[in-house]
Amino acid sequence: GSQRTIYIAGPMRDLPRCNFASFDRAKARLQKDGWTVISPADLDRASGFDPDRDEVTTSMVRDAFVRDVVALLMRCDAIAMLPESGDHPLSLCHVERTIAERFGMQVIELENYAE
């Protein structure tokens, strides 16, 4: 079909509730515009992670990053960057953006995205 798939990238670690609320808001906006959305927050939930209960470990972050990059590369046509991405220069979302750019995916800056 013609429906395109987009990956939401943004900072998570060390933010309240792992920033799930920002991912959920972005997902709703993008779905309204017809995108199929892959959100790391949803992938975390599907794996059983609860940001209110579970501690984030380095190995968990590594596993999630591998999972997320595979989803980005295998399933997505575009990447959407959360507005707060620029405030967290060491966040893995910048690596995800670099990967998306390397493979010619469309990059959408959500701060400039029409509501």
Side-chain angles (χ1 to χ4, degrees):
S2 63
Q3 193 173 44
R4 300 176 68 222
T5 302
I6 194 163
Y7 176 91
I8 302 172
M12 300 182 93
R13 197 168 188 184
D14 301 325
L15 290 171
R17 299 195 66 254
C18 295
N19 206 24
F20 276 25
S22 289
F23 284 86
D24 293 344
R25 278 194 302 272
K27 177 184 175 182
R29 284 168 57 192
L30 291 162
Q31 282 179 328
K32 200 174 67 182
D33 281 354
W35 288 98
T36 297
V37 178
I38 294 179
S39 166
D42 288 342
L43 297 177
D44 284 346
R45 288 184 186 109
S47 75
F49 176 75
D50 179 347
D52 293 317
R53 179 195 68 215
D54 299 322
E55 185 190 352
V56 178
T57 64
T58 299
S59 68
M60 189 188 300
V61 172
R62 283 183 186 165
D63 290 348
F65 180 64
V66 171
R67 174 202 71 196
D68 294 351
V69 168
V70 169
L72 172 67
L73 283 171
M74 303 305 290
R75 297 168 59 191
C76 297
D77 308 294
I79 191 169
M81 302 300 300
L82 290 179
E84 60 265 35
S85 298
D87 301 333
H88 300 266
L90 293 179
S91 172
L92 290 170
C93 65
H94 298 285
V95 179
E96 293 167 336
R97 180 193 183 120
T98 299
I99 291 168
E101 289 172 344
R102 164 64 180 79
F103 290 99
M105 296 180 199
Q106 180 182 358
V107 178
I108 292 175
E109 305 286 352
L110 285 173
E111 58 199 328
N112 305 328
Y113 191 73
E115 285 285 355

